[in-house]
């Protein structure tokens, strides 16, 4: 599933189940949280790095991800909030400790206080660890209680993949084609935003060179608006093979790849969705952590759901139907069935009678 999706975003927030678990469960309801960690820590089937946010990617993608290591290192070096980054000698000392002691987390190090200049400030040693992780000089070995443990890349990445040389142009070509393959059809901006591993200019240059291999299409959105886009070469066969989706109600995670590009979501499905975790409570339209509801091919609403894992209880807080959507008994029953499934993912129960 991760290979088909391209990446799965990680997130520390656990209102019911963390984003990576929820995303995989949405596509395979028999998925359980314990299945995830061995992929990274034991099997080395995936590696962790930064797309538009911290994510896991299939390990076989590593040769095409070298440019992203370089890109992120360059970006971090220019960003204002990295001005307190320890120098090469201090970073080398951190790497030497990891080489001698094995995988270490940020808790194994001590350094001065973090800057007060901005909300995202980090302590110097944490800044150094993250910089080397962004640059590919360190790799995530495993996570324990979601705390990241850093190790040398040669201890995490298979030699054959780590040493494989792919030209920058071939990396861009692979990333663009892989993005379009997963999107099916997309504008230049949507292709570029999929991995966020290249600039808009680089993506446009790729499209100019690859246009003869692609299919130009016109897309009609939910509001009847139309725009030009590019489609994968086999788009007609894909459309021919489409089957009508089941009408099961699906609770999607806010960071699900299907809705991560909020502009694309709104154009295609007519749903305006934003995460409001960082919006002051009094200014929120909906809630702190609100889940979109997909039924068939239509987004029919959003819900606020919380889980008390200690008490083993999942609670439905509020429902907001989308404009024009009638919320009858059948739709409510489908939601309650999905809430029961969602509760099982978190090791909880859901009592519809008490909702």
């Amino acid at each position: 599933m991760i290979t088909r999706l391209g990446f799965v975003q990680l997130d520390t927030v656990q209102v019911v189940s963390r984003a990576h678990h929820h995303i995989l469960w949405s596509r395979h309801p028999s998925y359980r949280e314990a299945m995830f960690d061995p992929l990274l820590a034991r099997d080395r089937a995936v590696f962790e790095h930064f797309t538009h946010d911290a994510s896991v990617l299939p390990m076989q993608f590593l040769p095409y991800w070298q440019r992203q290591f370089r890109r992120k290192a360059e970006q971090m070096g220019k960003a204002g909030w990295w001005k307190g980054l320890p120098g090469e000698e201090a970073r080398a000392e951190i790497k030497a400790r990891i080489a001698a002691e094995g995988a270490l987390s940020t808790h194994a190090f001590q350094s001065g206080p973090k800057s007060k200049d901005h909300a995202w400030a980090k302590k110097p040693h944490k800044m150094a660890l993250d910089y080397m992780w962004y640059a590919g000089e360190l790799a995530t070995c495993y996570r324990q209680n979601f705390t990241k443990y850093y190790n040398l890349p040669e201890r995490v990445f298979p030699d054959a993949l780590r040493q494989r040389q792919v030209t920058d142009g071939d990396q861009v070509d692979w990333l663009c084609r892989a993005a379009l393959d997963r999107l099916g059809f997309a504008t230049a901006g949507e292709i570029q935003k999929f991995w966020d591993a290249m600039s808009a200019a680089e993506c446009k240059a790729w499209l100019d060179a690859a246009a003869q291999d692609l299919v130009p299409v016109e897309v009609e959105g939910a509001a009847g608006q139309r725009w030009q886009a590019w489609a994968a070469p086999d788009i007609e066969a894909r459309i021919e093979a489409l089957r009508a989706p089941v009408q099961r109600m699906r609770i999607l995670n806010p960071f699900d790849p299907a809705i991560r590009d909020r502009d694309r979501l709104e154009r295609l499905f007519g749903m305006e969705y934003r995460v409001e975790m960082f919006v002051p409570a009094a200014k929120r339209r909906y809630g702190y952590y609100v889940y979109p509801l997909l039924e068939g091919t239509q987004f029919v609403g959003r819900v606020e759901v919380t889980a008390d894992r200690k008490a083993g209880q999942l609670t439905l807080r509020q429902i907001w139907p989308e404009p024009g959507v009638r919320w009858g008994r059948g739709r409510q029953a489908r939601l309650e069935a999905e809430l029961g499934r969602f509760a099982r993912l978190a090791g909880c129960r859901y009592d519809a009678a008490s909702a």
Side-chain angles (χ1 to χ4, degrees):
M1 286 190 288
I2 296 172
T3 300
R4 289 176 64 186
L5 290 170
F7 63 89
V8 172
Q9 183 171 329
L10 301 172
D11 195 68
T12 58
V13 177
Q14 180 173 271
V15 174
V16 176
S17 182
R18 287 193 172 107
H20 45 289
H21 298 309
H22 188 176
I23 290 166
L24 294 171
W25 170 82
S26 290
R27 288 152 178 80
H28 205 305
S30 64
Y31 170 84
R32 290 297 177 262
E33 293 179 356
M35 298 177 181
F36 187 84
D37 286 346
L39 295 176
L40 176 68
R42 183 193 66 200
D43 304 336
R44 302 293 189 227
V46 297
F47 69 97
E48 182 182 324
H49 203 247
F50 204 90
T51 54
H52 53 285
D53 213 318
S55 304
V56 294
L57 302 97
M59 185 64 80
Q60 66 263 31
F61 291 2
L62 184 67
Y64 304 99
W65 208 249
Q66 300 303 317
R67 75 181 330 262
Q68 184 71 332
F69 293 141
R70 296 192 298 271
R71 262 182 99 245
K72 297 311 293 184
E74 291 171 3
Q75 289 175 356
M76 296 306 106
K78 296 175 183 176
W81 60 82
W82 289 81
K83 63 184 179 182
L85 175 69
E88 288 186 20
E89 185 175 341
R91 299 201 301 270
E93 290 177 4
I94 291 174
K95 286 183 72 174
R97 274 198 62 188
I98 293 173
E101 300 175 38
L104 296 174
S105 77
T106 184
H107 303 305
F109 300 90
Q110 292 184 349
S111 59
K114 62 184 181 180
S115 167
K116 296 181 180 180
D117 292 343
H118 54 84
W120 304 107
K122 302 175 182 180
K123 289 188 174 183
H125 73 269
K126 174 60 173 168
M127 200 179 299
L129 287 166
D130 282 353
Y131 175 84
M132 290 187 284
W133 177 79
Y134 279 118
E137 297 173 20
L138 293 176
T140 305
C141 187
Y142 58 89
R143 282 180 177 260
Q144 192 171 73
N145 297 325
F146 215 65
T147 296
K148 185 189 300 182
Y149 279 75
Y150 302 85
N151 212 331
L152 303 180
E154 57 265 31
R155 294 175 178 171
V156 177
F157 302 148
D159 287 343
L161 293 174
R162 189 170 59 87
Q163 296 170 5
R164 183 178 167 193
Q165 298 298 312
V166 179
T167 67
D168 190 69
D170 285 345
Q171 288 180 56
V172 170
D173 182 69
W174 184 91
L175 288 165
C176 288
R177 292 183 188 278
L180 189 56
D181 182 53
R182 285 158 178 80
L183 292 167
F185 56 88
T187 63
E190 290 167 346
I191 295 171
Q192 185 269 329
K193 285 195 292 185
F194 184 84
W195 305 106
D196 195 17
M198 69 191 68
S199 68
E202 287 173 321
C203 184
K204 184 180 183 305
W206 174 81
L207 271 173
D208 290 343
Q212 68 274 13
D213 299 331
L214 309 177
V215 178
V217 294
E218 185 176 66
V219 183
E220 183 175 335
Q225 76 279 34
R226 297 187 176 196
W227 63 92
Q228 303 301 312
W230 296 97
D234 61 344
I235 187 64
E236 291 187 19
R238 292 189 188 200
I239 293 172
E240 189 72 23
L242 282 176
R243 293 176 295 175
V246 297
Q247 289 301 302
R248 167 188 159 184
M249 184 84 72
R250 296 180 187 273
I251 298 172
L252 297 189
N253 189 270
F255 304 108
D256 193 290
I259 63 169
R260 186 195 63 78
D261 187 335
R262 314 299 190 201
D263 295 334
R264 179 179 169 97
L265 170 68
E266 188 169 355
R267 285 201 304 270
L268 289 177
F269 295 98
M271 184 184 213
E272 182 184 350
Y273 180 82
R274 298 294 184 270
V275 172
E276 297 184 289
M277 286 186 288
F278 305 112
V279 176
K283 296 184 177 181
R284 291 176 189 148
R285 291 181 60 190
Y286 300 102
Y288 171 77
Y289 204 87
V290 173
Y291 300 93
L293 299 175
L294 176 64
E295 187 179 59
T297 60
Q298 182 183 10
F299 283 90
V300 295
R302 57 196 87 197
V303 291
E304 186 175 20
V305 180
T306 59
D308 184 338
R309 291 194 174 213
K310 188 173 182 180
Q313 183 68 46
L314 183 136
T315 302
L316 172 62
R317 300 290 181 187
Q318 197 163 349
I319 305 171
W320 296 272
E322 283 294 279
V325 172
R326 181 177 175 275
W327 203 270
R329 291 182 181 178
R331 191 157 271 148
Q332 182 66 24
R334 288 191 288 277
L335 173 60
E336 289 176 358
E338 180 74 346
L339 287 168
R341 292 186 286 264
F342 198 24
R344 288 193 288 277
L345 172 66
C348 296
R349 63 187 178 277
Y350 171 68
D351 183 4
S354 64

